[in-house]
Amino acid sequence: MSTPISSSSGASSPSTVISSQGVGSGLDIAAIVTSLTTAKAAPLTNAINRSNTALNAQVSAFGTFNSAVATFQATLTALQNPAQLAGRTAALADATIATATATAGAVTGQYSIAVQNLATPASLSSAPNLGGATAVIGTGTLQISVGGVLDSIAIDSTDNTLQGIAAAINSAPGNPGVTASILTTSDGARLVLTGTKTGATNGILVTQSGGDGGLASLVYDPANNLTTLTQTQAALDANFTVNGYAATSASNQVTSVISGVALNLLKASAAIAGTPPTYTPTTLTIGNDTAGAQTSIGTFVSALNGLLSSIQSLASYDPTTQTAGPLLGNAAVQSFQSQLYKILGQVNAGITSGPNSLAAIGIGANAQGTYSSNSATLGNALTGNLDSVSKLLSGPNGIATKLNTFVTQYTQAGGLLDTISNGLKSSLTDNAKQLAALNDRMKVYAATLTAEYNAMDTAVALLKQTQTYLTQQFNQNSSSSGTSSNSSLGSGTTNTGG
C-alpha cells in the first residue's frame, strides 16, 4: 500500500507566494500598465499638446506683430508734429559772423545781416602789485553791483590779500554776477573782475567801507569820480543791422528780431571806410527743410512695409508647402490690416491746393501688398508745397495723427494686443491645469491596473503551486504501484486459481 505524501512536500503555503510582479504569470506587469495608461491618456494628451503648440505659435506670432507695430508707430512722431515735418533751414553765407536756427514758424526768404559790435560783459582791473597774489590789500567791506543787483562782501585779516579777496568774491552766496581772478605779469599781480552777463545795463560798480581803508584801491564808481580800478572793457549791447535796419541786443543770442529765427552773433563784420563807418553784410537764407522731411517720410514708408510684410508672413498660406501662418484667419489681424489700408488711402478734402493724399506725394500700394515711394514725386511735393504735405500728414486731421490714434488702440496698456496676449496665456494656463489633472487621474488608473494585475498574478502563482503539487502526487503514486508489481514477479509466485 502506498504511503500518503504530505502536502507540504509539493506546495508552499499561500502566505509564501512571491510578491514580485509577473513572477506568477510571467507577464511584465509594469510595462503592460504603462502601455495601457499611456494609451488611455493619449487622446487628451495629444489634444492638449496640439493646442499648446498652436497657442505658443500664436504667442510668438503676436510678439512679432507687436514689435512691427511698435516700430511703425515710432515713425509717426516726426510726421504728426508740423514743426518737425515742415521744418526750416537757416544758413548764413559767412558762418564766421553768425549762425542761425529756424523753427517751422519762420518765413522762408533771405535777410541781410551786418554786425557792428558784439554784446560784451564789463571787465575791471586793479593796478599791478609787485607783492604778487599774496600781497596784503586791506580789510573792510566791498559793495559790488552788477545791473542793479548789489552784494556786500566782508574782507577780514584771513582773506585780505589779492588772492583772498578774489576767493571771497567768487564764493559769496549773493554774488551779483561777477568773477574774480588774478592776472600776474612782469609788472605785478592784478585783481580782474569780469561780469558774467553781457549788455549795457550790466556794468560793474565797486565801492568800499569800513576796515583799515586798504580796499580803497579796489573801487570803481565813475559817477563819484572814484576809479582806482580801471575798466578794460565796457558792458555793451550788440549792435547789428537786418536788411539795413539797426537793432540791438543785450545778448549775442538774438531771438526777438526775426520771427521764428534765433541768431548767434560770433564776431563783428568787416568795416567799410566812411563816416559813419558801415559794415559788410552777409546773407541769411531761411528755407524749407525738405531733406529732413524726406528722411522722416522715407523712414515711415520703410516701417509701414515692414509691418505689412510681417502681417503677410504671419497670416498667409503657402500652397507649395501647404503651410499656414500662425495668424491665418485671425480676426484681430484682419481688422487691423483693413483699417490700416483704409486710413492710408484717405483723401484730405480740406486741402484745396497741393497734394491731398499719399498717392499725390508719390506713396502708393504695389502688387506685393506693400507701398512704394517715388522719390522724385515726393521731392517735388516737398519743394513746391511743404506746407500742404505737412497738413496732409500732420495736425489733428493728418494721416499720421489718425494712424497713431488707431494703432494706440492696439498698443496701449490694456489695449487689444494686451487683451489677446493675456487670453493666449490664460489658455496655456488652462491647458497646463488640464494636463496636471489628467496626470493625477492616470496615476490612480495605473495604481488600479497594477493592483488588478498583481491579484491575477497571485492567483496564477497559487494555481501553479497546486498544479505542481498534484503532479508530484500523481508521479509518486504511479511510481509506488509499479514497484509493487515488479516485486511479485520477481519472487516466482504465481496464482493459477487452484
Side-chain angles (χ1 to χ4, degrees), residues 21 28-37:
Q21 294 183 4
D28 186 347
I29 294 176
I32 293 173
V33 169
T34 298
S35 180
L36 291 174
T37 302

Side-chain angles (χ1 to χ4, degrees), residues 72-232:
F72 170 69
Q73 186 173 24
T75 69
L76 300 175
T77 302
L79 303 185
Q80 290 183 91
N81 187 345
Q84 287 186 259
L85 179 63
R88 298 287 189 262
T89 58
L92 284 98
D94 186 352
T96 66
I97 299 300
T99 58
T101 57
T103 66
V107 178
T108 59
Q110 292 187 329
Y111 302 85
S112 176
I113 307 292
V115 180
Q116 178 182 338
N117 67 271
L118 297 178
T120 56
S123 182
L124 307 176
S125 176
S126 69
N129 192 312
L130 293 175
T134 58
V136 174
I137 303 302
T139 61
T141 300
L142 285 174
Q143 290 88 25
I144 302 178
S145 174
V146 179
V149 180
L150 175 68
D151 188 31
S152 296
I153 302 170
I155 305 298
D156 58 26
S157 59
T158 63
D159 52 13
N160 59 353
T161 62
L162 282 179
Q163 183 173 281
I165 293 169
I169 293 171
N170 290 333
S171 63
N175 187 307
V178 65
T179 59
S181 59
I182 304 298
L183 177 62
T184 303
T185 60
S186 58
D187 56 353
R190 290 178 170 85
L191 175 68
V192 177
L193 302 179
T194 304
T196 58
K197 300 176 183 178
T198 60
T201 62
N202 290 313
I204 302 173
L205 178 67
V206 184
T207 60
Q208 66 86 34
S209 62
D212 58 15
L215 298 180
S217 62
L218 303 177
V219 172
Y220 185 77
D221 184 7
N224 294 304
N225 202 28
L226 298 173
T227 55
T228 53
L229 291 176
T230 300
Q231 180 173 269
T232 56

Side-chain angles (χ1 to χ4, degrees), residues 8-26:
S8 62
S9 65
S12 300
S13 169
S15 63
T16 64
V17 175
I18 51 89
S19 59
S20 298
Q21 294 183 4
V23 171
S25 62

Side-chain angles (χ1 to χ4, degrees), residues 465-481:
Q465 288 177 353
T466 300
Q467 178 186 31
T468 300
Y469 167 73
L470 293 174
T471 300
Q472 289 176 345
Q473 290 284 27
F474 177 79
N475 289 338
Q476 288 180 9
N477 288 336
S478 298
S479 176
S480 297
S481 298

Side-chain angles (χ1 to χ4, degrees), residues 14-388:
S15 63
T16 64
V17 175
I18 51 89
S19 59
S20 298
Q21 294 183 4
V23 171
S25 62
L27 298 175
D28 186 347
I29 294 176
I32 293 173
V33 169
T34 298
S35 180
L36 291 174
T37 302
T38 301
K40 186 175 182 63
L44 186 54
T45 299
N46 292 339
I48 292 174
N49 288 338
R50 285 194 300 270
S51 176
N52 281 342
T53 299
L55 288 171
N56 282 319
Q58 289 186 60
V59 169
S60 177
F62 271 108
T64 301
F65 175 67
N66 197 3
S67 177
V69 171
T71 299
F72 170 69
Q73 186 173 24
T75 69
L76 300 175
T77 302
L79 303 185
Q80 290 183 91
N81 187 345
Q84 287 186 259
L85 179 63
R88 298 287 189 262
T89 58
L92 284 98
D94 186 352
T96 66
I97 299 300
T99 58
T101 57
T103 66
V107 178
T108 59
Q110 292 187 329
Y111 302 85
S112 176
I113 307 292
V115 180
Q116 178 182 338
N117 67 271
L118 297 178
T120 56
S123 182
L124 307 176
S125 176
S126 69
N129 192 312
L130 293 175
T134 58
V136 174
I137 303 302
T139 61
T141 300
L142 285 174
Q143 290 88 25
I144 302 178
S145 174
V146 179
V149 180
L150 175 68
D151 188 31
S152 296
I153 302 170
I155 305 298
D156 58 26
S157 59
T158 63
D159 52 13
N160 59 353
T161 62
L162 282 179
Q163 183 173 281
I165 293 169
I169 293 171
N170 290 333
S171 63
N175 187 307
V178 65
T179 59
S181 59
I182 304 298
L183 177 62
T184 303
T185 60
S186 58
D187 56 353
R190 290 178 170 85
L191 175 68
V192 177
L193 302 179
T194 304
T196 58
K197 300 176 183 178
T198 60
T201 62
N202 290 313
I204 302 173
L205 178 67
V206 184
T207 60
Q208 66 86 34
S209 62
D212 58 15
L215 298 180
S217 62
L218 303 177
V219 172
Y220 185 77
D221 184 7
N224 294 304
N225 202 28
L226 298 173
T227 55
T228 53
L229 291 176
T230 300
Q231 180 173 269
T232 56
Q233 179 173 276
L236 297 175
D237 288 340
N239 288 279
F240 56 101
T241 62
V242 178
N243 290 348
Y245 298 105
T248 62
S249 172
S251 169
N252 291 312
Q253 285 71 50
V254 183
T255 59
S256 59
V257 176
I258 304 174
S259 180
V261 177
L263 290 171
N264 180 29
L265 306 181
L266 300 176
K267 74 174 185 180
S269 302
I272 301 174
T275 305
T278 56
Y279 299 86
T280 304
T282 185
T283 301
L284 167 64
T285 301
I286 307 299
N288 288 322
D289 184 14
T290 57
Q294 192 149 15
T295 297
S296 296
I297 294 172
T299 302
F300 158 75
V301 174
S302 295
L304 170 62
N305 286 334
L307 173 59
L308 293 174
S309 296
S310 177
I311 293 174
Q312 290 173 3
S313 173
L314 297 171
S316 64
Y317 177 77
D318 187 342
T320 303
T321 61
Q322 296 184 340
T323 302
L327 301 184
L328 178 65
N330 185 276
V333 175
Q334 289 178 338
S335 176
F336 178 90
Q337 189 173 19
S338 175
Q339 293 182 71
L340 179 64
Y341 279 130
K342 182 178 180 181
I343 296 174
L344 292 170
Q346 286 183 355
V347 175
N348 190 331
I351 301 176
T352 57
S353 176
N356 60 0
S357 67
L358 289 180
I361 61 174
I363 301 173
N366 54 40
Q368 289 72 43
T370 55
Y371 278 73
S372 299
S373 178
N374 187 310
S375 58
T377 303
L378 177 59
N380 291 335
L382 292 172
T383 302
N385 206 331
L386 180 59
D387 289 338
S388 290

Side-chain angles (χ1 to χ4, degrees), residues 33 37-38 40-41 435-451:
V33 169
T37 302
T38 301
K40 186 175 182 63
L435 192 59
L438 175 64
N439 288 336
D440 289 341
R441 293 199 302 273
M442 291 304 98
K443 288 179 182 178
V444 173
Y445 178 69
T448 300
L449 286 179
T450 299

